Amino acid sequence: MEDCCSPGSERMEAWLDDHLEFTHSYFIRKASREMVNAWFAERVHTIQPSASKENPLQQRSHQSSTDTGAPSVSSSSTILPPSLSLLDNRSPSPATVPSPAPGTPTRKISASEFDRPLRPIVVKDSEGSLTFLSDSDRETVPLRGSVMGEGGVGGGAGNGGGCIEAGSGSDRCARLLELVKDVSSHLDVTALCHKIFLHINELIVADRYSLFLVGEDSSNRKFLVSRLFDVAEGSTLEESSSNCIRLEWNKGIVGHVAATGQPLNIKNAYEDPRFNAEVDLITGYKTQSILCLPIKNHRDEVVGVAQAINKKCGENGAFTDQDEKDFSAYLAFSGIVLHNAQLYETSQLENRRNQVLLDLASLIFEEQQCLEVLLRKIAGTILSFMQAQACTVFIADEDSMNSFSSVFHMEYEELDEVLDTPKRDCDVSQINYMYAQYVKNTMQPLNITDVTKDQRFPWTSENPDHTSNQIKSLLCTPIRNGKKDKVIGVCQLVNKMDEALGSVKAFNRNDEQFLEAFAIFCGLGIQNTQMYETVERAMAKQEVTLEVLSYHASAAEEELRELQVATIPSAQSLRLMDFSFSDFDLSDTETTMATIRMFVDLNLVQNFQMKHASLCQWILSVKKNYRKNVAYHNWRHAFNTSQCMFALLKSGRLQNNLNDLEILALMIATLSHDLDHRGVNNSYIQRSDHPLAQLYCHSTMEHHHFDQCLMILNSPGNQILSGLSLDEYKATLKMIERAILATDLALYMKRRGEFFELTKNSQFVWEDEHHRDLLRSMLMTACDISAITKPWPVQKRIAELVATEFFEQGDKERQELNIEPSDLMNREKRDKIPSMQVSFIDAICTQLYETLAGMSEYCSPLLEGCQKNRQQWKCLAEECEKDLVNGLV
């Protein structure tokens, strides 16, 4: 090693003396533990002891006297800088954190806040401080002089008039070595800085000490928050750290030192314009001298500010240059403590992030059978971790660029709810999907601090009553598929909650990164679940198809030949144009011939070049695919529905208002609208866990009827639409589908209000496709329930068939599902049929037929027949009620 007294070493030392900032930075970055120990050991023997003088302390309220504005005081647990909140010694231990319930995330974790370690990297010592050393491995150094004034290091006369008597050199060395050991083994910033202040007081002897740390908010604006405030002789760690005070950046003496990175040594605080004397006036405390120094890390960045107030001895009670040097030297250890804490926090954050993502991956891949359950788990997990008011997951529609196939929405308050079934359906009007659509199109995340001030989206200002006004902050990210080349969904969070202030704050960059990481796992989970559902649906569909094919057969060759050569009667002889038509006097063969007659008279055979053989085979196949063991929803019901549509078009004079494709779609739909009906309704299919229930989430049987319609139309020999162009074929199939689905009374109830309002206000426009679609749907329902308009003998006989079918379902519900059927399905409530028929007419039928009669007076026979039958059912209901009363008497 080069001699320390060589000329080269002297020049280097002189250069270092002239460049103190570099020397300080170099020591912080390069000094080893052995160098620090040696520095302390040598310095202990160069400090001369001096006598101590007791100076009674004035009581000073825990208020800042150095900030130009009124400081805000709050609980320390609510305002700590995010970068150091993990190391607060008041955080609960891992043993006190409740474990989350299975399937319901309860942890509240964000990218900048974690409350317990991933694994026991660190442990707590007997004092409750975090340490890298376990209790069994640590050698404890006895704490000596726990309060200021017991031994320690004192400044000599040459060091500015120190006034505390020091203990023996070995005691001082032991205390300094203890401090070094604490710095190297502990991670509790508050406790260590409190010890450093105790040592500092033995050198510069001030009345009060405070420590402020630098923090940043979500907008990257810096501020200062106290970790220790008014440390005084005899004050405990709990007293000094019980409250946190937040100071603005570059305001007041502390803010100025933090912003400039330069120390301030003020002899008379009242002569400095940056000093705020309001606190002194309130508390009666007299602030005289102030020594305020920055604490820097190895990158020479200010990470904190330390402040000493009122020198208790020395010339004029002012801090000396030596005090400033001693204070700065000890604060170097505070810088080391903060740097170590930040390194630990960073590693801990990464470990926690990985654990959170592993937990999410485990949670997601536990469920691959049901997308609804998966979406609930995703939304619940994200809400728990991100602390947002609501989470919405949008699933992209593969068939459309500008829509979503499904939406799942969850509020934060729903986290603790236990639901038997997932809440997939929600009020779509309360969900703002425009931001999600924007993210889906751009494939980029979207983070909006305040949506009301964001000018990129005009809807926030154009529509003040829109639901977007309920949103303050918003974070939205795309969910991609496994190849990352396609957006399969969007996750949207709104209104990040600040639990401390009870307000909404903005999402920061950490939240963005976390949500993006979540989205990767969510994309994999959603894609796997969708694939599983696709396979499951295909298997269910195959099972249903096999069942259908095993039951149904193609039309018999002999029956087909007979129909092809048969002479088709006229519509007049069959009374097909009469609204009072009844099929009871017709044979099955005559019903098939009557069907051909309707297609011919509507010019469908001629206009679409239908082959007679194909039409005959298609009609017979449709008839064959209705189950004969079903009392009402069989071929006869389909034929009567089709005849009513024919009568509306011909006698009701609606044919001229509809085009040929619409008429073709309506006739095919009426004949096919109940194909393969099982004699039970949608509710029974869902409750019995029938394979059909797995295929369709709503209008189960109606979707099945349409599928059977397509199967027959595409079967060899049944292709009556082969004469259509590709565009005509697609349009016709779409109209057939919507017409068959319209026979679901639940959909009818949802859509009829719009139709009634349009006709009532004379706003129905024939050129509007949406209006025409509504009309076609209403015509389907009018024909489907047209039995209520037939002459009374026919109506009563049909009602008995309907009741028979309903009662059979009620029996199945009792025997197979073990539930009590509704009155409509309960054969024990047969006497209520008349009153239920009256209710059915009033709730479903009357207004529909009144509206059609208003559009065309030639449709009025439907309304008249309905009204007459209501009178008949009303009389029967009154008789039943009388019989019931007489029976009770």
Side-chain angles (χ1 to χ4, degrees), residues 582-595:
S582 170
D583 69 303
F584 290 141
D585 296 331
L586 299 180
S587 65
D588 283 353
T589 302
E590 289 174 323
T591 60
T592 57
M593 291 189 293
T595 303

Side-chain angles (χ1 to χ4, degrees), residues 250-269:
N250 203 19
K251 287 190 177 182
I253 293 176
V254 175
H256 175 80
V257 171
T260 62
Q262 299 298 320
L264 285 179
N265 189 347
I266 302 173
K267 295 181 180 180
N268 190 338

